[in-house]
Amino acid sequence: MRLRRWVTTAATAALVIGVSALAPASAQQGTATASTSYVALGDSYSSGAGAGSYDSASGDCRRSTVAYPVLWANANSPDSFDFVACAGARTTDVIEDQLGPLDADTTLVSVSIGGNDAGFGATMQTCVLSGTNACLAAVAAAEAYMDATLPGQLDATYRAIRDRAPNAEVVVLGYPRLYQLNGSCLFGISEESRAAINGAADHLGEVTAKRAADVGFAYGDVRPAFTGHEICSGEPWLHSLTLPVGDSYHPTADGQRGGYYAVFESLA
């Protein structure tokens, strides 16, 4: 259900209070907009780490002025907008630190979360520094965590969001595959490692989508939008290993715009 909608009020009032259908046309005209209160929660993929143009006041949270929540707010002018997503956030950080702006008047919430709980950063470090066998083992451990522990963490987070914002439309955003296989990369980790990392992204998406659906939240799968724009493609929307290191394996400004914003805009 989209939040931006126009409601014809005069005709409805005529039916309810018995205003004559012969009333002047000017009396039947007029529209009103639904109030929109938007809160953006989540981790670095929502804060915009990797996209540059960071708000200095956000410190280590690295909130970008070109992250998808800001792009949506700029395009749609909600009545209120709270951007509290933070780089490095886990599910417990959302529950403990980010839910303050939510209340019964909140109408829209976005969130990406779960990657840090599943050890995304540590897994990528292992894959880059320790070779294929260690990478495959790290990916397997992350996937085991996704199956055994992450569902309960996501359930607790989503319930907390729903409890604080009972009237909000909630959109959960997933994560892209990082690599185009058999692409243009001549150096870096092995193709086997790249395929395993992509498989973990698919696994995480399946787990997240299921938990979101079970609580009645919309799920935005960004993988199709990023197809053809992964690392090793001709037009990547994701950083490979780069400086600053915190930008590595995160969407660029183009990835925020063409990937995350496009998917969120289609659902919000």
Side-chain angles (χ1 to χ4, degrees), residues 22-214:
L22 299 178
S26 60
Q28 298 184 29
Q29 295 174 351
T31 57
T33 57
S35 175
T36 303
S37 174
Y38 171 37
V39 180
L41 312 172
D43 56 20
S44 54
Y45 279 70
S46 288
S47 74
S53 188
Y54 303 117
D55 178 1
S56 59
S58 69
D60 291 341
C61 286
R62 307 182 76 213
R63 298 184 189 108
S64 172
T65 63
V66 293
Y68 78 84
V70 180
L71 297 178
W72 192 92
N74 289 344
N76 296 281
S77 301
D79 297 277
S80 66
F81 171 48
D82 290 280
F83 186 20
V84 294
C86 187
R90 298 171 180 254
T91 51
T92 51
D93 296 311
V94 171
I95 294 171
E96 295 172 4
D97 302 328
Q98 296 186 14
L99 302 187
L102 299 180
D103 58 28
D105 294 326
T106 304
T107 57
L108 177 63
V109 176
S110 64
V111 60
S112 63
I113 202 68
N116 292 318
D117 295 81
F120 169 77
T123 298
M124 291 307 302
Q125 182 176 351
T126 298
C127 290
V128 170
L129 297 178
S130 302
T132 298
N133 289 339
C135 179
L136 298 183
V139 168
E143 291 186 327
Y145 187 96
M146 294 174 200
D147 290 332
T149 306
L150 186 61
Q153 293 173 317
L154 293 175
D155 287 347
T157 304
Y158 297 159
R159 283 196 303 267
I161 292 171
R162 175 52 72 219
D163 288 346
R164 293 290 297 266
N167 302 310
E169 176 183 14
V170 181
V171 179
V172 176
L173 280 301
Y175 300 91
R177 299 185 186 99
L178 291 185
Y179 292 99
Q180 182 179 91
L181 300 182
N182 302 309
S184 60
C185 291
L186 299 178
F187 304 101
I189 65 176
S190 69
E191 195 74 357
E192 188 175 4
S193 293
R194 291 170 185 151
I197 291 166
N198 281 0
D202 291 339
H203 198 142
L204 179 57
E206 292 165 3
V207 171
T208 306
K210 175 64 164 58
R211 307 326 298 174
D214 283 354

Side-chain angles (χ1 to χ4, degrees), residues 62 239-248:
R62 307 182 76 213
H239 293 286
S240 186
L241 183 63
T242 190
L243 293 175
V245 173
D247 286 355
S248 301

